[in-house]
Amino acid sequence: MRVIGESRLQEKVLIIGIDIGSTTTKVVSIEDGKVTRMIKTKASDAVTAATGAFGKILLENNIKINAVERIAITGAGASKINNDIFGIPTGRVNEIEAIGIGGMFLSGMNNIIITNIGTGTVIIESGDNGISHFGGSGVGGGTILGLAKKLLPIAEFHDIMKLAMTGKLNQIDLLLGDITDTSISFLSGESTASNFGKMLDTATSGDIALGIINMVYQVIGVLSVFAARARNYERVIVTGNGSKNPIGQKVLSAITEMYGIEFVYPEYAEYTTAIGAGLSKK
Ligand SMILES: Nc1ncnc2c1ncn2[C@@H]1O[C@H](COP(=O)(O)OP(=O)(O)OP(=O)(O)O)[C@@H](O)[C@H]1O
Ligand SMILES: [Mg+2]
């Protein structure tokens, strides 16, 4: 005999969070407040991205469509979806809110700055007064890809990273040691005086690849530090696909040494926005 009460209870707990980013779409399933599955896809338009990714997470995990209580969508593409997806109640969550909720959930911390490195970069404050948009920069993963495509020319992220591993920054960047024999304030001779300000004729593709990644993460790192200092926080939680970059993490750890602000990289940080959408009560 089918126990309707129990069955309905089971059907009520599954929420799907969808983050339609500028480049990739992330989908997570949330059951009883726990993240149970995560997938990433890429599609050219928002509707295909959202419906395709939703279908994928259901099919691959043998989830029945009527088990989904609601869908929460967010990200740049969310505004393109104005109706319920497949008749399931579909709500839109503000992206700033989603990153804030997801960042706190994954890091287990609050009173933090969250720097989401996606195609571009957004900086969020999550403190006693709630979640707010601190600011951001168009410098992000898209900047690395765009510059690499023209300057190297290489289009795949993996290949850019491989090449950058072979690079030397002193071929590209003007370092403080190149222009002065004394240290300036807290800056050593190894500090950057000007990104791409040297650009020797002997610079290789590897040097340029490293110079691009270094510049992007230095800009993001310093902006994050200024945000943290302005609001008296000691930590910056780094999220988005850009949080997974090993060279970027090294650049940020050099910034920690200079400024004393710690960067934290939660596991599954590329799913932060989708998780935050799914966990949002709105
Ligand atoms: N290892 C990596 N390091 C840095 N960037 C990366 C890495 N892998 C992919 N990217 C870049 O990350 C970007 C996509 O990241 P993400 O999925 O977080 O962004 P998005 O949500 O699509 O964009 P946004 O949040 O800005 O709307 C792309 O520009 C991609 O090139
Ligand atoms: Mg994003």
Side-chain angles (χ1 to χ4, degrees):
M1 193 178 74
R2 186 162 178 256
V3 185
I4 292 171
E6 270 184 23
S7 146
R8 279 195 63 78
L9 211 68
Q10 277 176 3
E11 285 167 11
K12 284 273 175 200
V13 290
L14 180 60
I15 299 163
I16 300 289
I18 306 181
D19 165 26
I20 311 166
S22 320
T23 310
T24 57
T25 294
K26 281 74 63 182
V27 183
V28 300
S29 61
I30 294 175
E31 292 168 76
D32 286 335
K34 291 191 195 80
V35 182
T36 46
R37 298 167 195 93
M38 292 167 273
I39 63 151
K40 249 186 253 181
T41 59
K42 236 182 207 180
S44 53
D45 71 283
V47 176
T48 312
T51 52
F54 176 72
K56 190 171 150 94
I57 202 164
L58 259 52
L59 270 174
E60 286 184 353
N61 296 287
N62 204 16
I63 303 171
K64 295 204 169 45
I65 196 161
N66 62 5
V68 180
E69 185 200 359
R70 63 183 176 91
I71 299 173
I73 54 170
T74 189
S79 63
K80 304 251 167 39
I81 297 172
N82 299 309
N83 298 314
D84 287 349
I85 296 174
F86 302 136
I88 299 164
T90 303
R92 268 141 288 273
V93 179
N94 173 291
E95 185 169 1
I96 303 295
E97 193 79 13
I99 296 170
I101 294 170
M104 284 192 285
F105 176 82
L106 289 177
S107 67
M109 298 176 196
N110 59 358
N111 288 318
I112 41 168
I113 289 292
I114 304 167
T115 294
N116 187 74
I117 312 173
T119 313
T121 299
V122 58
I123 299 177
I124 286 158
E125 175 183 5
S126 184
D128 292 335
N129 296 326
I131 297 162
S132 61
H133 186 191
F134 186 89
S137 166
V139 171
T143 313
I144 299 175
L145 272 184
L147 290 175
K149 191 172 165 191
K150 206 67 187 171
L151 295 176
L152 297 177
I154 288 181
E156 287 298 322
F157 218 97
H158 175 76
D159 297 330
I160 301 168
M161 291 300 293
K162 243 171 79 182
L163 200 55
M165 301 284 185
T166 68
K168 288 193 200 68
L169 281 178
N170 61 9
Q171 295 283 304
I172 302 285
D173 291 350
L174 193 65
L175 303 180
L176 222 56
D178 291 325
I179 50 173
T180 176
D181 289 333
T182 54
S183 59
I184 299 176
S185 171
F186 54 86
L187 302 175
S188 74
E190 288 299 302
S191 307
T192 316
S194 174
N195 295 91
F196 283 81
K198 193 191 261 175
M199 202 64 220
L200 295 181
D201 289 339
T202 49
T204 64
S205 298
D207 301 333
I208 295 171
L210 182 60
I212 295 169
I213 297 171
N214 180 61
M215 177 176 67
V216 164
Y217 281 87
Q218 280 190 343
V219 170
I220 295 169
V222 170
L223 287 178
S224 305
V225 163
F226 290 173
R229 283 194 163 178
R231 300 284 205 249
N232 283 321
Y233 299 133
E234 289 163 6
R235 280 179 205 89
V236 174
I237 310 300
V238 189
T239 62
N241 258 317
S243 67
K244 301 277 156 216
N245 190 313
I247 297 175
Q249 289 187 359
K250 260 196 190 158
V251 174
L252 295 181
S253 78
I255 291 177
T256 297
E257 274 175 35
M258 287 168 76
Y259 294 94
I261 300 286
E262 188 191 352
F263 291 92
V264 180
Y265 307 94
E267 205 177 357
Y268 310 120
E270 64 271 48
Y271 295 99
T272 302
T273 317
I275 291 170
L279 290 174
S280 168
K281 303 278 181 270
K282 286 178 191 159

